[in-house]
Amino acid sequence: MRWRWLIAGWFALLSGLIGALAALWLSVPPVTLLYARTPAPSTRILDRHGQLLFEIFDPRAATGGRHVPLPPEQMPRCLREAIVAVEDANFYRHPGVDMRGLVRALWVNVRGGEVIAGGSTLTQQLARLLLLDPEERMQRSLWRKLRESLLAWQITQRYAKDEVLTLYLNVAYFGNFAYGAEAAAQTYFGKPARLLSLGECALLAGLVQAPAYYDPFVYPERAKARQQHVLRRMVQLGFISAQEAEHAMRTPLRFAPAPFGIRAPHFVNFVRQQLEQQFGTETLLREGLIVTTTLDLALNEAVTAIVRAHLARLNDPRTYPGGHNVRNAAVVVLDPSSGEVLALVGSPDYFNAEIDGAVNAALALRQPGSAMKPIIYAAAFASLPDFTAATPLFDVRTAFPTREGLPYVPINYDGQHRGPISAREALATSNNVAAVQVLQQVGLERAIALAHALGLSSLRSAEHYGLAFALGSGEVRLLELTAAYAAFANAGHRVTPLAIREVRDARGAVRWRAQPSEGAAVLDARIAWLITDILADPFARAPTFGEHSVLRLTRPAAVKTGTTTDFRDNWTIGYTPQLVVGVWVGNANGEPMRGVSGVSGAGPIWRMVMERAHQGMLPRAFARPPGLVQREVCLPSGMLPTPACPYRRREWFILGTEPTRQDTWHHRVRVDVRTGALADETTPPAFRAERIALDVPPALRVWARAQGWLLLDDLAVRASRPRAEDRAVRLLRPDDGATYRFAAELPAAAQRIPIEALADSPEVVAVWVTVNGEMLARAEGAHLRAFWQLQPGEHVFVAEAALRNGERARSAPVRVRVQ
């Protein structure tokens, strides 16, 4: 009877054991799910040479970190050996479960009353990571250990050892949100896993057991001690020699700048926005795209260093008392033939909140100042039949009419006027009055249409601007303005900035690739070349900038600066046939700088970036297209020289626009040196002298007389002695129709406006000005300057002049209003 109970007991025990084993077997998921359960690969954004800029991972995933799977052939041998040495020395000999280790762990666990010891092989860890639910992974139970062991045995039956080891290294957590060897290599050392050294492999292998405890960014001593332990284990198992281990221990480890860094952050964010628009956010987070961009990381980092160094110089109180109050700058480097963005720095420090460093000034809207002028002149070349680089423009005080009926009087940067100036010199020296004159002739509609065609998408329609648009009143983005200049270097073809070269999926198949294409022809190639030739002419810009300013490089380069009147923005944009560089300097919050121009602020950065970006490139001249001719012209008329012409230069013209008329401005005359009048038959030969007299347009005569020029008109006046009413006297200031505001909160004595009158005749004895019929000021000679204190109401100003013969001349009345 007793033996029956014994058999029944054993049968029950065996049945229970079989049932438990069956339950265990049936409870585990199929090992075929291993690859399906691996973390979603990160989307990697790379520079043009394959350097990692940033990884985008799904924050909702269980891993919540970066993950880049590698194929077996790219997994470093030293890392495979290091992980085996420190985590599972018998990996290649056991069937997925180390029975001696498991028994030892069970004995420790039984004695401890709970599961307190591990004993897990690499295969068991892999099974736990990929095939067990997150909740079960955290349990410390015998049932979990049995399920884990069974799965490890099944995995070993189905997959080769090297495949298992590669899969483990692709999913293991190395700390700092890095999942897998490739992500760990980039996170800690800023390099691909295939380039890891023995010492670096040993450090990474040592992290897996306790990533937070051994974190080298926080506990470098612990990490170093752990690395040495791994190296010693590798020697014990025969993977490396003692000498190799000693060398690895002595070699300093060079970590990446940040544990979870981003390189070229402004550019990366710009690229990410494009990727989300093109592929959608879910694709970025789940499909592990490999994005090769156009950026040259080494150049971008060099540009960042240049920006930081120059801003430090500008703010050094030793060079400028109190500093220039300038905290931000942005730089864009483009290839004009392809539009590829080689560098994009949006601020000197993305992570500095005190300077609003995260604001990408390369994409922010800012006023361009005079940097808009080349587009205005290009529109003039394209739309005005008689406009050439030799066309004389009149840099004299001019009140331009506006839609509002109020006069607009532009002033030059230095407050001076230069009279007649060629279009070449006007653009090269950034003359404001001439630029407004050109825009008035071209029309806002044509100028803005060309700006839009060149890619300046932020500009509004013409009715939103006035003539101040010529001086940069419309807001633009540095990236787009740099691309607009690139069209001048690209034979007039529009250049669209390109930031992404290629997108592949996680398996390496191409999802999208940039197709090289020539942009639309926006400008005649000859016009583009003329603008370039002017901007590259150091002699034309010398009167303002000097021949050897920071704008002159060691190679041919075209360049233009821009500065807003209140020093909120300054720019320098220039190019060679190979590269275009745009620089903005200012403050992200719009705060004015102190005494910083485009030459002193953006100019030095532009020069240093250009020289650095062109390293290794041979200098190239700008290719001149056919259809251009060079002619000698007389200055300042721009006509063909005559024997009377004293100043000449050779100028380029689009075929068919070259001058055909001979100069009419300069005339050889004989004067009576006693009277200064034209000599006649009564003048003795001894008192006759030959002079060059000028017959200039009426708008220039007042300025010319103030400069002491001998005018043919004045000689005629002296000879004929005309009536007083033929001798004009003009009020230069104020402008007719001007409106002023009287501020009650300011002292009345501080609220004055300038008054200026000039008589257009050498016969004038005195000039005076009246206001509402009462004398304001009087001056001997032909020129009067005074001030008038503002008074509310309507006021009428009149200038009068007394002539030598006792007659008087009177100006037209000028009416102003003071609110």
Side-chain angles (χ1 to χ4, degrees):
M1 190 71 177
R2 193 173 188 181
W3 61 272
R4 291 182 179 177
W5 286 105
L6 188 60
I7 293 175
W10 279 105
F11 181 77
L13 180 63
L14 183 60
S15 298
L17 182 60
I18 294 173
L21 289 174
L24 177 64
W25 188 276
L26 295 173
S27 71
V28 296
V31 295
T32 53
L33 294 177
L34 264 184
Y35 284 95
R37 296 284 184 89
T38 57
S42 306
T43 287
R44 288 181 291 164
I45 300 178
L46 314 175
D47 89 330
R48 64 192 301 114
H49 303 298
Q51 290 288 314
L52 181 68
L53 303 178
F54 189 60
E55 286 187 64
I56 303 172
F57 57 84
D58 189 352
R60 303 162 301 182
T63 57
R66 59 205 311 195
H67 176 234
V68 184
L70 290 179
E73 63 272 12
Q74 292 186 24
M75 192 66 70
R77 175 183 173 184
C78 62
L79 184 58
R80 296 199 306 266
E81 293 174 343
I83 203 73
V84 167
V86 76
E87 289 291 325
D88 190 355
N90 295 318
F91 173 75
Y92 284 101
R93 293 191 293 272
H94 61 63
V97 182
D98 187 342
M99 297 307 297
R100 287 184 297 178
L102 180 60
V103 170
R104 184 170 58 252
L106 288 173
W107 173 248
V108 173
N109 293 332
V110 168
R111 292 186 62 187
E114 59 176 334
V115 180
I116 59 175
S120 296
T121 65
L122 289 176
T123 317
Q124 287 175 272
Q125 294 179 47
L126 181 64
R128 182 167 67 247
L129 285 171
L130 297 184
L131 297 177
L132 298 184
D133 295 332
E135 297 79 9
E136 187 177 2
R137 291 179 210 155
M138 304 302 296
Q139 295 174 4
R140 300 165 67 85
S141 67
L142 183 59
W143 179 252
R144 191 216 75 187
K145 181 66 69 175
L146 291 172
R147 279 166 49 83
E148 180 184 292
S149 300
L150 176 59
L151 286 169
W153 180 80
Q154 292 178 340
I155 289 171
T156 304
Q157 304 309 303
R158 183 175 183 88
Y159 300 100
K161 285 286 187 177
D162 284 342
E163 186 177 3
V164 172
L165 182 57
T166 299
L167 186 55
Y168 174 83
L169 286 170
N170 272 326
V171 300
Y173 182 53
F174 289 85
N176 285 297
F177 300 102
Y179 289 84
E182 178 70 9
Q186 294 288 357
T187 295
Y188 291 102
F189 300 110
K191 63 172 68 172
R194 58 185 170 80
L195 299 180
L196 289 173
S197 68
L198 172 59
E200 291 165 344
C201 286
L203 182 127
L204 293 184
L207 296 179
V208 173
Q209 189 178 93
Y213 183 81
Y214 295 117
D215 188 340
F217 295 116
V218 183
Y219 307 110
E221 298 83 5
R222 293 179 187 175
K224 184 65 177 176
R226 180 66 172 168
Q227 178 218 34
Q228 293 175 349
H229 169 71
V230 174
L231 290 168
R232 285 192 290 269
R233 287 289 295 153
M234 294 179 73
V235 173
Q236 291 170 5
L237 295 177
F239 289 135
I240 59 174
S241 67
Q243 292 77 13
E244 289 175 315
E246 185 66 24
H247 180 267
M249 290 179 189
R250 289 199 311 266
T251 302
L253 295 171
R254 302 186 183 278
F255 295 104
F260 189 57
I262 178 173
R263 308 175 85 172
H266 292 100
F267 177 79
V268 166
N269 286 337
F270 176 56
V271 167
R272 178 169 180 162
Q273 291 171 3
Q274 294 187 26
L275 292 171
E276 288 179 350
Q277 293 172 3
Q278 186 170 354
F279 296 99
T281 303
E282 286 300 314
T283 300
L284 284 191
L285 297 179
R286 298 296 304 165
E287 295 191 15
L289 302 179
I290 303 169
V291 182
T292 301
T293 68
T294 61
L295 191 85
D296 184 328
L297 180 59
L299 174 62
N300 202 78
E301 292 181 341
V303 170
T304 303
I306 289 170
V307 167
R308 290 174 178 169
H310 186 63
L311 291 182
R313 284 191 291 271
L314 287 176
N315 289 304
D316 188 343
R318 293 173 298 180
T319 58
Y320 190 87
H324 289 281
N325 190 41
V326 51
R327 297 181 294 274
N328 295 89
V331 180
V332 170
V333 182
L334 293 178
D335 180 337
S337 63
S338 64
E340 290 191 348
V341 180
L342 303 177
L344 189 152
V345 175
S347 80
D349 186 353
Y350 179 90
F351 299 100
N352 188 345
E354 292 183 0
I355 64 169
D356 300 307
V359 174
N360 189 346
L363 301 179
L365 291 174
R366 310 295 298 210
Q367 289 192 348
S370 296
M372 184 61 67
K373 289 174 183 173
I375 297 174
I376 307 297
Y377 280 79
F381 283 126
S383 60
L384 303 178
D386 298 326
F387 191 84
T388 71
T391 297
L393 302 171
F394 303 158
D395 177 19
V396 296
R397 189 176 184 280
T398 308
F400 292 91
T402 64
R403 285 193 298 262
E404 296 79 12
L406 302 176
Y408 171 56
V409 183
I411 59 174
N412 291 319
Y413 182 76
D414 59 1
Q416 303 297 313
H417 293 292
R418 290 167 179 78
I421 182 173
S422 70
R424 171 180 289 272
E425 188 176 333
L427 175 56
T429 59
S430 200
N431 189 282
N432 286 347
V433 178
V436 174
Q437 185 183 135
V438 172
L439 179 59
Q440 185 189 43
Q441 297 176 43
V442 170
L444 275 163
E445 292 79 6
R446 289 174 178 168
I448 292 176
L450 177 57
H452 283 158
L454 288 169
L456 297 179
S457 62
S458 61
L459 293 176
R460 304 165 75 185
S461 54
E463 60 266 20
H464 293 95
Y465 304 103
L467 290 175
F469 180 80
L471 311 184
S473 63
E475 293 184 326
V476 299
R477 297 178 176 87
L478 173 64
L479 178 61
E480 291 186 348
L481 189 57
T482 305
Y485 272 64
F488 296 130
N490 195 32
H493 290 270
R494 175 169 172 166
V495 176
T496 302
L498 177 67
I500 302 172
R501 303 182 89 182
E502 181 183 84
V503 178
R504 293 178 178 266
D505 63 21
R507 297 179 180 83
V510 175
R511 289 283 297 273
W512 179 87
R513 180 176 288 155
Q515 299 299 323
S517 62
E518 190 173 55
V522 176
L523 275 175
D524 186 319
R526 297 171 297 178
I527 294 175
W529 186 88
L530 277 176
I531 294 292
T532 297
D533 190 58
I534 293 171
L535 297 183
D537 187 345
F539 303 106
R541 64 171 174 260
T544 296
F545 301 101
E547 281 188 43
H548 301 285
S549 70
V550 296
L551 304 181
R552 192 164 187 175
L553 303 184
T554 56
R555 64 185 63 227
V559 60
K560 184 72 188 72
T561 64
T563 305
T564 53
T565 54
D566 53 5
F567 293 107
R568 293 182 190 274
D569 308 275
N570 66 66
W571 310 65
T572 301
I573 305 178
Y575 53 94
T576 66
Q578 296 114 312
L579 294 175
V580 189
V581 173
V583 180
W584 168 87
V585 170
N587 292 310
N589 63 1
E591 186 178 318
M593 298 172 283
R594 289 191 289 267
V596 180
S597 70
V599 173
S600 63
I605 294 176
W606 177 82
R607 177 185 174 85
M608 288 184 283
V609 170
M610 286 288 278
E611 295 290 3
R612 167 61 180 81
H614 282 88
Q615 286 180 3
M617 299 183 186
L618 293 175
R620 280 172 49 190
F622 294 100
R624 187 174 67 249
L628 289 156
V629 294
Q630 197 174 37
R631 295 286 184 270
E632 186 178 55
V633 297
C634 182
L635 298 179
S637 71
M639 301 178 187
L640 295 176
T642 66
C645 177
Y647 307 109
R648 310 172 185 213
R649 68 158 287 153
R650 295 188 66 78
E651 184 57 87
W652 286 99
F653 298 88
I654 294 175
L655 191 63
T657 67
E658 64 270 26
T660 56
R661 292 180 58 199
Q662 290 197 322
D663 174 61
T664 59
W665 287 32
H666 299 85
H667 299 269
R668 291 188 183 274
V669 297
R670 293 186 180 275
V671 299
D672 188 325
V673 296
R674 299 170 300 176
T675 64
L678 287 170
D680 56 22
E681 64 277 0
T682 65
T683 305
F687 296 101
R688 295 183 182 186
E690 190 173 85
R691 299 282 189 271
I692 300 294
L694 286 99
D695 184 14
V696 299
L700 290 172
R701 290 174 186 168
V702 172
W703 179 89
R705 289 190 181 100
Q707 305 304 310
W709 288 16
L710 180 62
L711 298 185
L712 191 64
D713 184 61
D714 291 345
L715 292 174
V717 167
R718 294 171 189 170
S720 61
R721 304 191 64 82
R723 298 170 301 166
E725 54 267 29
D726 292 333
R727 300 180 180 92
V729 59
R730 293 194 300 157
L731 266 171
L732 302 181
R733 304 182 189 184
D735 297 303
D736 191 29
T739 299
Y740 299 92
R741 178 179 175 270
F742 185 87
E745 67 274 12
L746 298 178
Q751 301 185 65
R752 303 188 304 166
I753 63 171
I755 307 297
E756 187 174 8
L758 185 68
D760 192 13
S761 171
E763 302 297 312
V764 172
V765 176
V767 175
W768 61 91
V769 174
T770 62
V771 184
N772 302 326
E774 297 183 1
M775 178 69 73
L776 170 65
R778 177 186 172 92
E780 300 300 317
H783 194 196
L784 177 147
R785 285 194 179 99
F787 288 92
W788 177 69
Q789 189 170 308
L790 293 179
Q791 300 174 21
E794 304 276 349
H795 305 278
V796 179
F797 292 76
V798 174
E800 296 186 64
L803 306 181
R804 297 186 190 279
N805 61 2
E807 298 178 0
R808 290 185 178 182
R810 180 183 175 90
S811 75
V814 170
R815 293 172 173 81
V816 302
R817 180 183 178 190
V818 180
Q819 297 178 344

